[in-house]
Amino acid sequence: MDSREQFIAWLNDAYSMEKSLEETLERHAKDAEADPEVHARLTQHIEETRAQAETVQGCIESMGGKVSKVKSALAGMSGAVQGMVNKPAGDTMVKNAIADYAAEHFEIASYRALIDSARSLGEEQIAQKLTTILRQEEDMARFLEGKLPRTVQGALAEAGR
């Protein structure tokens, strides 16, 4: 596998990651319906995530690659399971917030690596597209970080009743 093929493989990983997170975020947004601000931001990020997957797919295709159907199918199953994992717990919102915050930071690291890879290969246009995605992931991580203390305090207050 040469460096371009490796980069396409990594882009496929990013595409699968976005598709998996889309389903997880949909479930978490439903869980957050009682908190209009969090629900609205999650709903916005679902749309961003869909657009990110399309952007990554376009990057793959612009390099002559194809989206991996196997990785996409596995990502869909993974997203469905992950979205249901915290459901029975009384502290669902806290666990969702932690999972989403961790996922955003995983995405941030992934996109930073992809941007470096794109630049190393002379793919500046792809690097710019991925940088736009990176900024959205950083914005979402900051939002989640800001909401986590209130979410934790709410769960503790609820548990104390």
Side-chain angles (χ1 to χ4, degrees), residues 127-144:
Q128 290 174 4
K129 289 177 183 181
L130 298 175
T131 298
T132 299
I133 295 172
L134 173 63
R135 299 297 172 246
Q136 291 172 335
E137 304 301 2
E138 290 170 336
D139 288 346
M140 187 61 182
R142 276 190 295 277
F143 172 82
L144 292 166

Side-chain angles (χ1 to χ4, degrees), residues 95-159:
K95 289 182 178 173
N96 286 355
I98 291 169
D100 292 343
Y101 185 66
E104 292 305 317
H105 282 279
F106 184 83
E107 287 182 292
I108 289 166
S110 296
Y111 282 109
R112 285 184 179 157
L114 286 168
I115 291 163
D116 288 343
S117 299
R119 290 200 169 116
S120 293
L121 294 170
E123 296 288 345
E124 188 57 38
Q125 191 172 33
I126 290 176
Q128 290 174 4
K129 289 177 183 181
L130 298 175
T131 298
T132 299
I133 295 172
L134 173 63
R135 299 297 172 246
Q136 291 172 335
E137 304 301 2
E138 290 170 336
D139 288 346
M140 187 61 182
R142 276 190 295 277
F143 172 82
L144 292 166
E145 183 175 8
K147 293 299 170 196
L148 190 57
R150 188 188 79 200
T151 303
V152 168
Q153 292 305 315
L156 288 174
E158 187 70 28

Side-chain angles (χ1 to χ4, degrees), residues 7-48:
F7 181 57
I8 291 169
W10 289 338
L11 287 169
N12 260 299
D13 292 342
Y15 177 81
S16 297
M17 173 179 63
E18 296 297 356
K19 296 304 282 182
S20 173
L21 288 171
E22 181 181 332
E23 190 159 346
T24 300
L25 288 169
E26 286 173 355
R27 292 181 193 282
H28 291 183
K30 186 167 177 43
D31 292 342
E33 287 176 341
D35 186 331
E37 183 183 13
V38 172
H39 177 67
R41 186 62 180 96
L42 286 171
T43 300
Q44 176 188 338
H45 198 57
I46 291 165
E47 293 307 314
E48 290 171 347

Side-chain angles (χ1 to χ4, degrees), residues 47-62:
E47 293 307 314
E48 290 171 347
T49 300
R50 286 183 182 131
Q52 291 164 0
E54 289 175 18
T55 297
V56 172
Q57 180 177 355
C59 293
I60 293 167
E61 292 169 353
S62 76

